[in-house]
Amino acid sequence: MMSTKEVTQNAIAGIFTPEAVLKHWQGHRGLTRRMIEAFPEDKLFTYSIGGMRPFSVLVYEFLGMAVPSLTGFATDKWQKYAEAEKVSTKEELLALWDQATDDINNIWATIPAERWNEQILAFGQWPGTCTSILFYVIDNEIHHRGQGYVYLRSLGIEPPPFWDRA
Amino acid sequence: MMSTKEVTQNAIAGIFTPEAVLKHWQGHRGLTRRMIEAFPEDKLFTYSIGGMRPFSVLVYEFLGMAVPSLTGFATDKWQKYAEAEKVSTKEELLALWDQATDDINNIWATIPAERWNEQILAFGQWPGTCTSILFYVIDNEIHHRGQGYVYLRSLGIEPPPFWDRA
Protein backbone atom coordinates (compact mmCIF):
# COMPACT_ATOMS: atom_id res chain seq x y z
CA MET A 1 0.00 0.00 0.00
CA MET A 2 1.13 3.53 -0.72
CA SER A 3 0.77 6.27 1.87
CA THR A 4 -1.75 9.03 1.16
CA LYS A 5 1.15 11.37 0.43
CA GLU A 6 2.59 8.99 -2.14
CA VAL A 7 -0.78 8.47 -3.77
CA THR A 8 -1.27 12.22 -4.04
CA GLN A 9 2.17 12.77 -5.56
CA ASN A 10 1.85 9.87 -7.96
CA ALA A 11 -1.59 10.53 -9.18
CA ILE A 12 -2.32 14.20 -8.67
CA ALA A 13 -2.92 14.69 -12.38
CA GLY A 14 -3.85 11.18 -13.45
CA ILE A 15 -6.81 11.26 -15.82
CA PHE A 16 -7.51 7.64 -16.70
CA THR A 17 -8.13 5.01 -14.04
CA PRO A 18 -6.92 1.43 -14.61
CA GLU A 19 -10.57 0.30 -14.62
CA ALA A 20 -11.42 2.83 -17.34
CA VAL A 21 -8.40 1.83 -19.44
CA LEU A 22 -9.31 -1.87 -19.20
CA LYS A 23 -12.87 -1.10 -20.32
CA HIS A 24 -11.51 1.12 -23.12
CA TRP A 25 -9.17 -1.61 -24.36
CA GLN A 26 -11.67 -4.45 -24.09
CA GLY A 27 -14.13 -2.24 -26.00
CA HIS A 28 -11.58 -1.92 -28.79
CA ARG A 29 -10.87 -5.66 -28.61
CA GLY A 30 -14.59 -6.38 -29.01
CA LEU A 31 -14.53 -4.35 -32.22
CA THR A 32 -11.46 -6.25 -33.44
CA ARG A 33 -13.34 -9.49 -32.75
CA ARG A 34 -16.24 -8.28 -34.92
CA MET A 35 -13.68 -7.48 -37.65
CA ILE A 36 -12.39 -11.07 -37.52
CA GLU A 37 -15.99 -12.30 -37.80
CA ALA A 38 -16.69 -9.98 -40.77
CA PHE A 39 -13.94 -11.48 -42.95
CA PRO A 40 -14.85 -14.37 -45.25
CA GLU A 41 -12.95 -17.43 -43.98
CA ASP A 42 -10.52 -17.65 -46.90
CA LYS A 43 -9.90 -13.90 -47.15
CA LEU A 44 -9.05 -13.73 -43.44
CA PHE A 45 -5.96 -15.86 -44.08
CA THR A 46 -5.02 -14.78 -47.61
CA TYR A 47 -6.32 -11.36 -48.66
CA SER A 48 -3.77 -8.55 -49.02
CA ILE A 49 -3.38 -5.11 -50.60
CA GLY A 50 -0.02 -3.62 -51.55
CA GLY A 51 1.93 -6.59 -50.21
CA MET A 52 0.66 -6.03 -46.66
CA ARG A 53 -0.06 -8.89 -44.24
CA PRO A 54 -3.44 -10.71 -44.25
CA PHE A 55 -5.73 -9.74 -41.36
CA SER A 56 -5.15 -13.06 -39.56
CA VAL A 57 -1.42 -12.29 -39.36
CA LEU A 58 -2.18 -8.87 -37.89
CA VAL A 59 -4.37 -10.60 -35.30
CA TYR A 60 -1.46 -12.91 -34.40
CA GLU A 61 0.56 -9.75 -33.75
CA PHE A 62 -2.16 -8.31 -31.49
CA LEU A 63 -2.31 -11.59 -29.56
CA GLY A 64 1.48 -11.81 -29.36
CA MET A 65 1.62 -8.38 -27.72
CA ALA A 66 -1.43 -8.33 -25.42
CA VAL A 67 -1.14 -11.09 -22.81
CA PRO A 68 2.70 -11.21 -22.93
CA SER A 69 2.87 -7.45 -22.19
CA LEU A 70 0.38 -7.67 -19.33
CA THR A 71 2.26 -10.66 -17.91
CA GLY A 72 5.42 -8.54 -17.94
CA PHE A 73 3.65 -5.65 -16.20
CA ALA A 74 2.33 -8.03 -13.54
CA THR A 75 5.48 -10.08 -12.92
CA ASP A 76 8.40 -8.14 -14.50
CA LYS A 77 9.25 -11.43 -16.23
CA TRP A 78 9.45 -11.00 -19.98
CA GLN A 79 9.23 -13.86 -22.42
CA LYS A 80 10.97 -13.58 -25.77
CA TYR A 81 8.86 -11.39 -28.04
CA ALA A 82 6.95 -13.70 -30.35
CA GLU A 83 3.81 -13.81 -32.38
CA ALA A 84 0.94 -15.91 -31.17
CA GLU A 85 0.12 -19.50 -32.01
CA LYS A 86 -0.91 -19.98 -35.66
CA VAL A 87 -4.27 -21.48 -36.58
CA SER A 88 -6.08 -22.27 -39.80
CA THR A 89 -9.75 -21.47 -39.22
CA LYS A 90 -11.73 -18.41 -38.14
CA GLU A 91 -13.27 -20.42 -35.31
CA GLU A 92 -9.84 -21.26 -33.90
CA LEU A 93 -8.70 -17.65 -34.24
CA LEU A 94 -11.79 -16.44 -32.36
CA ALA A 95 -11.10 -19.02 -29.64
CA LEU A 96 -7.56 -17.64 -29.20
CA TRP A 97 -9.06 -14.14 -29.04
CA ASP A 98 -11.58 -15.10 -26.37
CA GLN A 99 -8.93 -16.84 -24.29
CA ALA A 100 -6.84 -13.65 -24.41
CA THR A 101 -9.87 -11.60 -23.35
CA ASP A 102 -10.24 -13.69 -20.20
CA ASP A 103 -6.48 -13.74 -19.55
CA ILE A 104 -6.31 -9.92 -19.83
CA ASN A 105 -9.09 -9.48 -17.27
CA ASN A 106 -7.49 -11.95 -14.88
CA ILE A 107 -3.93 -10.58 -15.12
CA TRP A 108 -5.13 -6.97 -14.98
CA ALA A 109 -6.68 -7.61 -11.56
CA THR A 110 -3.25 -8.55 -10.19
CA ILE A 111 -1.48 -5.32 -11.28
CA PRO A 112 -1.27 -2.75 -8.46
CA ALA A 113 -2.29 0.84 -9.39
CA GLU A 114 1.17 2.23 -8.60
CA ARG A 115 2.77 -0.18 -11.08
CA TRP A 116 1.40 1.66 -14.13
CA ASN A 117 3.81 4.58 -13.89
CA GLU A 118 6.92 2.52 -13.22
CA GLN A 119 9.72 2.49 -15.77
CA ILE A 120 10.18 -0.90 -17.46
CA LEU A 121 12.08 -2.46 -20.35
CA ALA A 122 9.35 -4.32 -22.20
CA PHE A 123 10.48 -7.66 -23.62
CA GLY A 124 13.97 -6.69 -22.49
CA GLN A 125 14.26 -4.06 -25.23
CA TRP A 126 11.59 -1.32 -25.26
CA PRO A 127 11.83 1.30 -22.50
CA GLY A 128 8.72 3.08 -21.18
CA THR A 129 6.21 3.01 -18.38
CA CYS A 130 3.66 0.21 -18.15
CA THR A 131 1.12 2.82 -19.28
CA SER A 132 3.08 3.96 -22.32
CA ILE A 133 3.80 0.36 -23.40
CA LEU A 134 0.15 -0.58 -22.95
CA PHE A 135 -0.94 2.33 -25.13
CA TYR A 136 1.56 1.26 -27.77
CA VAL A 137 -0.17 -2.14 -27.79
CA ILE A 138 -3.66 -0.61 -27.98
CA ASP A 139 -2.68 1.94 -30.66
CA ASN A 140 -1.00 -0.76 -32.74
CA GLU A 141 -4.26 -2.74 -32.70
CA ILE A 142 -6.31 0.32 -33.77
CA HIS A 143 -3.77 1.14 -36.50
CA HIS A 144 -3.69 -2.29 -38.12
CA ARG A 145 -7.41 -2.84 -37.63
CA GLY A 146 -7.90 0.34 -39.73
CA GLN A 147 -5.93 -1.49 -42.42
CA GLY A 148 -8.46 -4.33 -42.16
CA TYR A 149 -11.29 -1.86 -42.80
CA VAL A 150 -9.77 -1.12 -46.23
CA TYR A 151 -9.44 -4.85 -46.96
CA LEU A 152 -13.14 -5.36 -46.19
CA ARG A 153 -14.32 -2.29 -48.15
CA SER A 154 -12.24 -3.34 -51.15
CA LEU A 155 -13.99 -6.73 -50.96
CA GLY A 156 -17.36 -4.96 -50.98
CA ILE A 157 -18.04 -5.84 -47.32
CA GLU A 158 -19.40 -3.28 -44.84
CA PRO A 159 -17.15 -3.32 -41.73
CA PRO A 160 -18.58 -3.04 -38.18
CA PRO A 161 -18.91 0.59 -37.06
CA PHE A 162 -15.77 2.10 -35.49
CA TRP A 163 -17.72 3.90 -32.77
CA ASP A 164 -19.33 0.71 -31.42
CA ARG A 165 -17.22 -0.57 -28.51
CA ALA A 166 -19.90 -2.57 -26.73
CA MET B 1 -7.92 24.44 -6.55
CA MET B 2 -8.95 21.08 -5.17
CA SER B 3 -8.20 20.15 -1.59
CA THR B 4 -5.61 17.43 -1.02
CA LYS B 5 -8.42 15.10 -0.06
CA GLU B 6 -10.28 15.76 -3.30
CA VAL B 7 -7.12 15.31 -5.33
CA THR B 8 -6.49 11.99 -3.62
CA GLN B 9 -10.02 10.76 -4.23
CA ASN B 10 -10.08 11.93 -7.82
CA ALA B 11 -6.74 10.68 -8.87
CA ILE B 12 -5.90 7.78 -6.62
CA ALA B 13 -5.61 5.43 -9.57
CA GLY B 14 -4.96 7.82 -12.41
CA ILE B 15 -2.27 6.42 -14.69
CA PHE B 16 -1.79 9.00 -17.42
CA THR B 17 -0.97 12.64 -16.61
CA PRO B 18 -2.33 15.42 -18.84
CA GLU B 19 1.25 16.27 -19.83
CA ALA B 20 1.90 12.66 -20.89
CA VAL B 21 -1.36 12.51 -22.86
CA LEU B 22 -0.53 15.76 -24.69
CA LYS B 23 2.90 14.42 -25.62
CA HIS B 24 1.32 11.09 -26.68
CA TRP B 25 -1.21 12.85 -28.91
CA GLN B 26 1.23 15.33 -30.43
CA GLY B 27 3.54 12.38 -31.15
CA HIS B 28 0.72 10.72 -33.06
CA ARG B 29 -0.06 14.03 -34.79
CA GLY B 30 3.55 14.31 -35.91
CA LEU B 31 3.22 10.91 -37.55
CA THR B 32 -0.03 11.97 -39.24
CA ARG B 33 1.82 15.06 -40.56
CA ARG B 34 4.50 12.80 -42.07
CA MET B 35 1.72 10.76 -43.70
CA ILE B 36 0.32 13.93 -45.33
CA GLU B 37 3.82 14.72 -46.59
CA ALA B 38 4.29 11.18 -47.95
CA PHE B 39 1.28 11.39 -50.29
CA PRO B 40 1.85 12.64 -53.84
CA GLU B 41 0.00 15.97 -54.14
CA ASP B 42 -2.73 14.71 -56.48
CA LYS B 43 -3.26 11.40 -54.68
CA LEU B 44 -3.70 13.21 -51.35
CA PHE B 45 -6.91 14.78 -52.67
CA THR B 46 -8.19 12.04 -55.00
CA TYR B 47 -6.91 8.54 -54.23
CA SER B 48 -9.38 6.03 -52.82
CA ILE B 49 -9.83 2.29 -52.33
CA GLY B 50 -13.24 0.63 -52.01
CA GLY B 51 -15.14 3.92 -52.20
CA MET B 52 -13.47 5.27 -49.03
CA ARG B 53 -12.58 8.95 -48.56
CA PRO B 54 -9.28 10.36 -49.88
CA PHE B 55 -6.67 10.98 -47.18
CA SER B 56 -7.16 14.78 -47.30
CA VAL B 57 -10.82 14.35 -46.35
CA LEU B 58 -9.82 12.16 -43.41
CA VAL B 59 -7.42 14.92 -42.34
CA TYR B 60 -10.28 17.46 -42.47
CA GLU B 61 -12.13 15.16 -40.07
CA PHE B 62 -9.13 15.03 -37.68
CA LEU B 63 -8.87 18.83 -37.78
CA GLY B 64 -12.62 19.24 -37.32
CA MET B 65 -12.50 17.18 -34.14
CA ALA B 66 -9.22 18.25 -32.48
CA VAL B 67 -9.32 21.98 -31.69
CA PRO B 68 -13.15 22.14 -31.46
CA SER B 69 -13.13 19.31 -28.85
CA LEU B 70 -10.36 20.92 -26.80
CA THR B 71 -12.17 24.27 -26.96
CA GLY B 72 -15.23 22.55 -25.55
CA PHE B 73 -13.22 20.94 -22.76
CA ALA B 74 -11.70 24.31 -21.88
CA THR B 75 -14.82 26.48 -22.09
CA ASP B 76 -17.82 24.10 -22.10
CA LYS B 77 -18.95 26.02 -25.18
CA TRP B 78 -19.53 23.71 -28.14
CA GLN B 79 -19.65 24.85 -31.72
CA LYS B 80 -21.74 22.92 -34.21
CA TYR B 81 -19.81 19.80 -35.19
CA ALA B 82 -18.24 20.51 -38.55
CA GLU B 83 -15.35 19.44 -40.69
CA ALA B 84 -12.41 21.77 -41.05
CA GLU B 85 -11.79 24.36 -43.73
CA LYS B 86 -11.16 22.85 -47.18
CA VAL B 87 -7.96 23.53 -49.09
CA SER B 88 -6.53 22.46 -52.44
CA THR B 89 -2.78 21.98 -51.90
CA LYS B 90 -0.63 19.88 -49.61
CA GLU B 91 1.14 23.03 -48.42
CA GLU B 92 -2.15 24.59 -47.30
CA LEU B 93 -3.20 21.35 -45.58
CA LEU B 94 0.11 21.21 -43.68
CA ALA B 95 -0.37 24.85 -42.65
CA LEU B 96 -3.80 24.01 -41.19
CA TRP B 97 -2.19 21.07 -39.40
CA ASP B 98 0.57 23.21 -37.90
CA GLN B 99 -1.88 25.86 -36.76
CA ALA B 100 -3.90 23.16 -34.99
CA THR B 101 -0.70 21.86 -33.34
CA ASP B 102 -0.07 25.28 -31.80
CA ASP B 103 -3.73 25.77 -30.88
CA ILE B 104 -3.82 22.39 -29.12
CA ASN B 105 -0.76 23.26 -27.00
CA ASN B 106 -2.19 26.67 -26.10
CA ILE B 107 -5.70 25.50 -25.22
CA TRP B 108 -4.39 22.43 -23.34
CA ALA B 109 -2.51 24.72 -20.94
CA THR B 110 -5.81 26.34 -19.91
CA ILE B 111 -7.57 23.06 -18.96
CA PRO B 112 -7.41 22.35 -15.22
CA ALA B 113 -6.40 18.80 -14.25
CA GLU B 114 -9.69 18.12 -12.47
CA ARG B 115 -11.63 18.93 -15.64
CA TRP B 116 -10.54 15.74 -17.41
CA ASN B 117 -12.80 13.44 -15.44
CA GLU B 118 -15.90 15.64 -15.60
CA GLN B 119 -18.95 14.42 -17.49
CA ILE B 120 -19.69 16.43 -20.63
CA LEU B 121 -21.93 16.30 -23.69
CA ALA B 122 -19.45 16.83 -26.53
CA PHE B 123 -20.83 18.98 -29.35
CA GLY B 124 -24.16 18.86 -27.53
CA GLN B 125 -24.67 15.20 -28.43
CA TRP B 126 -21.93 12.77 -27.30
CA PRO B 127 -21.79 11.97 -23.58
CA GLY B 128 -18.52 11.04 -21.88
CA THR B 129 -15.72 12.49 -19.80
CA CYS B 130 -13.25 14.92 -21.34
CA THR B 131 -10.76 12.03 -21.19
CA SER B 132 -13.00 9.53 -22.98
CA ILE B 133 -13.95 12.04 -25.69
CA LEU B 134 -10.29 12.98 -26.19
CA PHE B 135 -9.36 9.33 -26.64
CA TYR B 136 -12.14 8.93 -29.17
CA VAL B 137 -10.54 11.77 -31.14
CA ILE B 138 -7.04 10.26 -30.86
CA ASP B 139 -8.22 6.72 -31.70
CA ASN B 140 -10.19 7.98 -34.69
CA GLU B 141 -7.00 9.59 -36.04
CA ILE B 142 -5.00 6.36 -35.56
CA HIS B 143 -7.79 4.31 -37.17
CA HIS B 144 -8.14 6.40 -40.33
CA ARG B 145 -4.39 7.00 -40.58
CA GLY B 146 -4.03 3.20 -40.76
CA GLN B 147 -6.33 3.39 -43.79
CA GLY B 148 -3.87 5.88 -45.31
CA TYR B 149 -1.06 3.34 -44.86
CA VAL B 150 -2.91 0.98 -47.22
CA TYR B 151 -3.43 3.78 -49.75
CA LEU B 152 0.32 4.52 -49.76
CA ARG B 153 1.37 0.84 -49.93
CA SER B 154 -1.04 0.22 -52.80
CA LEU B 155 0.63 3.17 -54.60
CA GLY B 156 4.03 1.55 -54.05
CA ILE B 157 5.06 4.19 -51.48
CA GLU B 158 6.75 3.26 -48.18
CA PRO B 159 4.83 4.98 -45.34
CA PRO B 160 6.63 6.57 -42.34
CA PRO B 161 7.19 4.03 -39.53
CA PHE B 162 4.29 3.66 -37.08
CA TRP B 163 6.57 3.50 -34.06
CA ASP B 164 8.23 6.87 -34.75
CA ARG B 165 6.40 9.54 -32.72
CA ALA B 166 9.20 12.10 -32.55
Side-chain angles (χ1 to χ4, degrees):
Chain A
M1 286 294 291
M2 290 184 288
S3 71
T4 302
K5 187 177 162 212
E6 283 170 327
V7 168
T8 305
Q9 286 177 336
N10 254 1
I12 190 164
I15 66 174
F16 224 159
T17 64
E19 292 70 25
V21 174
L22 177 60
K23 189 177 172 198
H24 177 77
W25 187 21
Q26 293 285 29
H28 270 301
R29 294 186 72 262
L31 175 55
T32 304
R33 191 186 198 284
R34 287 189 288 283
M35 285 291 289
I36 298 169
E37 290 181 301
F39 269 86
E41 179 102 26
D42 60 329
K43 298 294 190 287
L44 179 61
F45 293 93
T46 59
Y47 189 70
S48 163
I49 295 177
M52 301 179 98
R53 292 170 286 175
F55 196 67
S56 57
V57 179
L58 302 176
V59 173
Y60 296 148
E61 184 176 282
F62 306 156
L63 290 167
M65 293 169 82
V67 171
S69 294
L70 273 194
T71 303
F73 302 159
T75 64
D76 214 19
K77 296 198 178 82
W78 294 93
Q79 60 189 74
K80 188 170 177 309
Y81 177 74
E83 287 189 341
E85 184 187 343
K86 306 298 181 292
V87 294
S88 55
T89 67
K90 188 195 290 196
E91 188 183 350
E92 291 169 301
L93 192 60
L94 289 170
L96 289 181
W97 195 258
D98 293 340
Q99 183 60 55
T101 301
D102 290 345
D103 291 348
I104 288 167
N105 289 336
N106 291 333
I107 299 168
W108 195 282
T110 72
I111 301 173
E114 64 272 22
R115 175 66 172 156
W116 289 103
N117 284 313
E118 289 181 10
Q119 283 290 328
I120 58 169
L121 195 64
F123 297 97
Q125 55 183 313
W126 291 293
T129 62
C130 293
T131 300
S132 72
I133 300 294
L134 174 68
F135 273 84
Y136 190 89
V137 171
I138 297 173
D139 294 348
N140 186 65
E141 179 173 336
I142 299 168
H143 168 72
H144 285 302
R145 189 181 58 206
Q147 177 179 338
Y149 273 68
V150 187
Y151 291 5
L152 285 180
R153 286 279 184 199
S154 76
L155 290 165
I157 296 167
E158 171 97 13
F162 175 71
W163 48 259
D164 183 4
R165 313 284 170 72
Chain B
M1 286 293 291
M2 289 185 290
S3 72
T4 301
K5 186 176 165 214
E6 283 170 327
V7 167
T8 305
Q9 286 177 335
N10 254 1
I12 190 163
I15 66 171
F16 223 158
T17 64
E19 293 70 26
V21 173
L22 176 59
K23 188 177 171 198
H24 178 78
W25 188 22
Q26 292 287 28
H28 270 300
R29 293 185 73 261
L31 175 56
T32 304
R33 192 187 196 282
R34 288 190 287 283
M35 285 291 288
I36 298 170
E37 289 181 303
F39 270 87
E41 180 102 26
D42 61 328
K43 297 294 190 286
L44 179 60
F45 292 93
T46 59
Y47 190 71
S48 164
I49 294 176
M52 300 179 98
R53 292 170 286 175
F55 197 65
S56 57
V57 179
L58 302 176
V59 174
Y60 297 148
E61 183 177 282
F62 306 156
L63 290 167
M65 292 169 81
V67 171
S69 294
L70 273 195
T71 303
F73 301 160
T75 65
D76 216 17
K77 295 198 179 82
W78 294 93
Q79 58 190 76
K80 188 170 177 307
Y81 177 74
E83 286 190 342
E85 184 187 343
K86 305 298 182 292
V87 294
S88 54
T89 68
K90 188 196 287 194
E91 189 184 348
E92 291 170 300
L93 192 60
L94 288 169
L96 289 181
W97 195 259
D98 293 340
Q99 181 62 54
T101 302
D102 290 344
D103 290 348
I104 287 166
N105 288 336
N106 292 332
I107 299 167
W108 195 283
T110 72
I111 301 173
E114 65 270 22
R115 174 67 172 156
W116 290 101
N117 283 314
E118 289 180 11
Q119 283 288 329
I120 58 170
L121 196 63
F123 296 97
Q125 54 184 312
W126 291 293
T129 62
C130 293
T131 299
S132 73
I133 299 294
L134 174 68
F135 273 84
Y136 190 90
V137 171
I138 297 173
D139 294 348
N140 186 66
E141 180 174 335
I142 299 168
H143 168 72
H144 285 302
R145 190 181 57 206
Q147 178 179 337
Y149 273 68
V150 188
Y151 290 6
L152 286 180
R153 287 278 183 200
S154 76
L155 289 165
I157 296 167
E158 171 97 13
F162 175 71
W163 47 261
D164 183 5
R165 312 284 169 74

